[in-house]
Amino acid sequence: MTAATTIRKSFGSDNHSGTHPAVLRAIVEANTGDAVAYGADPWTERATSELRRLAGADGEVYLVLNGSGANVLGLGLLLGRHEAVICAGTAHINTDECGAAERILGTKLLTVPAPDGKLTPESIATRLAGRGDEHFAQPGVVAITQSTEVGTCYSLAELGKIRDFCANNGLRVFMDGARLANAAAYLGCTLGELAEHADVLSFGGTKNGAMGAEAVIVMRPADAGSAPYLRKQHMQLSSKMRFLAAQFSALLADDLWLRNARHANAMASRLAAGLADLPAVDVIHPVEADAVFARLPRQHIAELQREWTFHVWDETTSVVRWMTAFDTQERDVDDFLASIAAVAAARRA
Amino acid sequence: MTAATTIRKSFGSDNHSGTHPAVLRAIVEANTGDAVAYGADPWTERATSELRRLAGADGEVYLVLNGSGANVLGLGLLLGRHEAVICAGTAHINTDECGAAERILGTKLLTVPAPDGKLTPESIATRLAGRGDEHFAQPGVVAITQSTEVGTCYSLAELGKIRDFCANNGLRVFMDGARLANAAAYLGCTLGELAEHADVLSFGGTKNGAMGAEAVIVMRPADAGSAPYLRKQHMQLSSKMRFLAAQFSALLADDLWLRNARHANAMASRLAAGLADLPAVDVIHPVEADAVFARLPRQHIAELQREWTFHVWDETTSVVRWMTAFDTQERDVDDFLASIAAVAAARRA
Amino acid sequence: MTAATTIRKSFGSDNHSGTHPAVLRAIVEANTGDAVAYGADPWTERATSELRRLAGADGEVYLVLNGSGANVLGLGLLLGRHEAVICAGTAHINTDECGAAERILGTKLLTVPAPDGKLTPESIATRLAGRGDEHFAQPGVVAITQSTEVGTCYSLAELGKIRDFCANNGLRVFMDGARLANAAAYLGCTLGELAEHADVLSFGGTKNGAMGAEAVIVMRPADAGSAPYLRKQHMQLSSKMRFLAAQFSALLADDLWLRNARHANAMASRLAAGLADLPAVDVIHPVEADAVFARLPRQHIAELQREWTFHVWDETTSVVRWMTAFDTQERDVDDFLASIAAVAAARRA
Amino acid sequence: MTAATTIRKSFGSDNHSGTHPAVLRAIVEANTGDAVAYGADPWTERATSELRRLAGADGEVYLVLNGSGANVLGLGLLLGRHEAVICAGTAHINTDECGAAERILGTKLLTVPAPDGKLTPESIATRLAGRGDEHFAQPGVVAITQSTEVGTCYSLAELGKIRDFCANNGLRVFMDGARLANAAAYLGCTLGELAEHADVLSFGGTKNGAMGAEAVIVMRPADAGSAPYLRKQHMQLSSKMRFLAAQFSALLADDLWLRNARHANAMASRLAAGLADLPAVDVIHPVEADAVFARLPRQHIAELQREWTFHVWDETTSVVRWMTAFDTQERDVDDFLASIAAVAAARRA
């Protein structure tokens, strides 16, 4: 690959990054001889055992191919055939997966406005009015995202309230953990302390430095019975599974997953701190993970996008999303901040 | 990875092999800097362009994550919402994907007995009786597998007859090409000569030496309109797509795909040739790809499986499937043959 | 049936009424000798021909068993496999069918706030931002309800604007006509003048006086190809179809459908007019069909429900829905008004 | 309706008949005043209570709109999200419902050859080989039809063996009872003696003399939890439910259902007995319900169809299905026999 095909450090998404060198090394090292396909191999045994241990799961762990695959499988394990899902309007499953949950599971998403990306017992309760009435979609699962789609994190206390509310109301909890590592890093807690608030959760490798690997963690054996079959039906069963497993083992070794997340979070915080001096830019959500959501003038956005890669989050409100990653350098952040400041200065001049 | 976790060369499946070194190298080389996610990167552009060119496709090429993903997406592109699929009873989509096509597409598979794995216009015609009657499932797509699940290949003439029959009968053709390379190697034809007999086909990388990558090739633009969305809904859209694309580019470079397939086929032929001297073993299908299907006494099977990895295909008829791969060595075949002969001799003694 | 099992005239729904005597008579008269099942009978031919003629449809008409069946079939005929539906948040398909559209079609409903129950080109346009981006659900159909779920009617001009906007934006129009008759009565237009604004529409018999019969009208032949099969798969094909057909023929004879609707509308207007004198009751939507939506004090509602049957529409805002029907008598309305007034007076006292 | 639109007594299907006069009377009588919609009415309470009692069901009874609706709902209540159904190749759900089970439930039907229409523990066992292997569809439900699609009946002993086998093998039993009455009549047993062999069963009204009404009987409360919601999602919830309920109450009164079935069975037996004298006609299945399956020369079939309505069951083997109904008269049978004999004589001459 020549330099021409690479791009300047992207603030577009944490999946614009490549693969962490240690992960790549693990993949290369796993390429030795034959292994029985579909997960009956020692790499998979090792990675899933370790994930189970870290999550404190009595159930099972299933490696899958991507984040939508993890979400749809996780929801499918918890949903009765007729049931619906309560989630934030901002939830990835609602806004960014092209309707995969509806298509694959035939379920309805009952959304709740959540400006900060978080559900609460109170907001969940607003969607329970029609329970027991056959005309209304019947919520069976509450789906939360940790860290959220707007870069915030549920505190453990907030998670506890949701878990208790759900337990008391016959609702199961699915946690979309595409960026679970970033939440653990922010909260300074273990994977287990997060996992215990869910019935099923995903744990994302890809945005954390993997090439492409996600885990679905089923906390209790009773919820895992159909998982192998649904994973296959959902086309999420990898034949050369050892290469998914090796990625996770590399991330788990020496807490690489946590170090990667801490670093990405720190880079987002550095970016947010630098923005504090720029009156033209408003950071609109607390920066608790690897994302900065900012409002800035439309012309500034257009000018910045000539040089830098990032997404406009909301055209109408002129809000952008700037994401960092495990491999974002302080220098990248500082260069980016300089560009933002320069655009602002030029415009002001 | 210590030696303990590797296994003796497997004859269990061509996906028991690891990744071809050139493919792995391409993956490592693609790990340079950032790239826009979900396929808007130069690696993907390059690989899909080349696949399109080789297949002679006017439509588009979509990289997906595994074989079931390719099959279900391919069928989904061609099926009307109410339509059913005609396929061989032995078809992978019918027997080995846990009912994924039914689950994801809501379609019915109308099977046809096909001892040699191949459909014919005559056998397809047997499932057309109920057309136009709303009580009967309405076939819209014929699914063929090339090379077939029993290690045979449709000749180009046979493919031509199916294509013509389907065109004349308002049926579209999907070709499951998880082992398309093996068919091209056997027939000595180009990818385009195979592809032109299908409306949509898959082209398998994984069994050919990739780590995990398949392509869905849509021959005509009119059939591709919904593909990006269905791929996403089917959870087959990879975020760090460049790593799928790099695998294909490596396989396409210098016809590695064809050389890998030729080698695997040759190893299967070598195995079959060696079996000719063993009266206890009957090869029951022509060996035209990388598989040998053989009938041998139950006790022989049990004894061989102590040392060697392979699948019993049919318990009731005592038939096994022995598969070779791009990395099967002549020595592996010869060792295996020696074991088979030894078991037979011991039993005879 | 003893009197004990009947209830006082209900204002709960237009389907609390029984069957119109003329419809019942037609059912009885159709019970003569044998008829080929599933619609190949002269009653069905007659009723569907007449519906086709009245709607000005070049396509076909399919009788189905209930309103949800009509909606899901109609949407299914127009939706590409991957597509989503734009509808009002108040739409029956969104709020009252237990998620049937999602379950059966695997589609996503993209809702638009519509306090008066009506979509507009402007509100539809708000859901088109993500078109062409594989991460976003892709709207393919706009679903409107005529008359709406809040008792209002789109004018022909409003329908024309939606139809034109949709045509210009590659969107198809489905019209939920469970109460289409009430709209025709209010607008003083023909069925054809309504139907021409949709690609597929339903025409409701049940709320208009039928025992249980709905029609799905497909305006153009090109959209009807899969209808017989989808109707069967959706479990909406009646074996003794003549009894559905006879109901429609009775409703169409001498414009009974229109007379029934006019009467029901008039009763709603009478109710609304009577409420004008009651300061405690606010009618919150224009009364353009057979429903009155009113806000009144919670205690009044509770007291009225001891004697009368009706639904609270929104607990939080204290809004009720009062519906009339083909068989609501002036006396019923006046008695009900008297009760409402009495409750208000007692409370005021 | 003039005579011209009626047809000579049909031997085509038991649903070519109209509605039994007592059923029609019950419908007319139910048309009195208002009733709360969707089943919260005394007619429904009465009919479902009586059905529950007769079936000996601890669970619940759900009225639905047609036979496919009953089958798909019944299967849906018993199937895990990932599970498949074992059924006879001749099963109505496999051959006559256009793939509804696959479309609506996303399930796969694992068929077993059953020339006499009946499954056995042995034949069921042939589809259990792949259990626990994620590549194979996982059977969760065994679907049997009583009386079968070829006019035979499972004995109570045969049902007992299937029930025991299923209980021992983690399989649930669904009984398609579209013609359950005919089986009860043939076996001389109660509805309860049949029902106890199933977890969920349907009880068909339509072919027994109803206008259009079927019941889904859930034997145990644990299996009924999702039934109201699935019935709604499956578009099988009737708004003016009392008219379905009244049909069942009429059939249950004074054992009309049993008398109707006995009569239809007797007419089929009379037909079969008359055929015994005709060497050109072979009755190929035991006549245990209301159907006669016969093989006769192709030319005879063609000639008979000029005058009489019936279906060719299998073109290739020249087999026809002749069905009787509650309203078939001895005279109809004798006339038909005379025609068959005349055709045979003419051909012989």
Side-chain angles (χ1 to χ4, degrees), chain A residues 1 5-7 9-10 15-19 24 27-29 31-38 42-43 46 65-66 68-69 72 96-98 100 103-104 206 210-211 229 232-237 239-240 242-243 327, chain B residues 1 5-7 9-10 15-19 24 27-29 31-38 42-43 46 65-66 68-69 72 96-98 100 103-104 206 210-211 229 232-237 239-240 242-243 327:
Chain A
M1 205 79 290
T5 62
T6 66
I7 60 175
K9 183 59 203 170
S10 170
N15 60 28
H16 287 196
S17 297
T19 305
L24 199 53
I27 287 173
V28 171
E29 284 169 6
N31 196 38
T32 170
D34 279 14
V36 174
Y38 301 113
W43 290 269
R46 205 169 326 139
L65 293 159
N66 61 15
S68 298
V72 175
D96 285 278
E97 300 183 358
C98 200
R103 176 77 45 214
I104 304 299
T206 313
M211 181 179 290
Y229 313 109
K232 179 66 185 170
Q233 291 178 336
H234 290 189
M235 307 161 290
Q236 289 295 311
L237 180 63
S239 58
K240 299 184 179 175
R242 56 173 141 167
F243 295 111
D327 62 351
Chain B
M1 205 78 291
T5 62
T6 66
I7 59 175
K9 183 58 201 170
S10 171
N15 60 28
H16 287 195
S17 297
T19 306
L24 199 53
I27 287 173
V28 171
E29 284 168 8
N31 196 38
T32 171
D34 279 15
V36 174
Y38 301 112
W43 290 269
R46 207 170 325 138
L65 293 159
N66 61 16
S68 299
V72 175
D96 286 278
E97 299 184 357
C98 200
R103 176 78 44 213
I104 304 301
T206 313
M211 179 179 292
Y229 312 108
K232 180 67 186 169
Q233 292 179 335
H234 289 189
M235 307 161 290
Q236 289 294 310
L237 180 63
S239 59
K240 298 183 179 176
R242 56 172 142 167
F243 295 111
D327 62 351

Side-chain angles (χ1 to χ4, degrees), chain B residues 258-283:
Chain B
L258 203 51
R259 287 182 287 129
N260 279 350
R262 274 189 201 128
H263 176 79
N265 288 5
M267 291 303 98
S269 294
R270 184 184 187 91
L271 176 56
L275 295 170
D277 301 331
L278 297 173
V281 182
D282 279 336
V283 173

Side-chain angles (χ1 to χ4, degrees), chain A residues 146 156 183-194 257-258:
Chain A
Q146 173 79 322
L156 292 182
Y186 172 73
L187 296 171
C189 70
T190 65
L191 192 55
E193 287 172 304
L194 292 168
W257 65 282
L258 202 52

Side-chain angles (χ1 to χ4, degrees), chain C residues 1 19 31 43 210 233 240, chain D residues 1 19 31 43 98 210 240:
Chain C
M1 205 77 293
T19 305
N31 196 37
W43 291 267
Q233 292 179 335
K240 299 184 180 175
Chain D
M1 204 79 291
T19 305
N31 196 38
W43 292 268
C98 200
K240 299 184 180 175

Side-chain angles (χ1 to χ4, degrees), chain B residues 58-130:
Chain B
D58 292 329
E60 292 293 335
V61 172
Y62 301 90
L63 303 185
V64 297
L65 293 159
N66 61 16
S68 299
N71 286 339
V72 175
L73 177 56
L75 291 172
L77 295 178
L78 294 175
L79 278 171
R81 187 181 282 278
H82 68 289
E83 288 180 335
V85 176
I86 295 174
C87 66
T90 50
H92 198 268
I93 54 170
N94 186 47
T95 62
D96 286 278
E97 299 184 357
C98 200
E102 291 92 343
R103 176 78 44 213
I104 304 301
L105 301 173
T107 193
K108 186 178 186 72
L109 303 187
L110 300 169
T111 60
V112 170
D116 63 351
K118 299 195 224 172
L119 296 178
T120 62
E122 292 71 30
S123 66
I124 295 167
T126 64
R127 302 305 310 237
L128 301 183

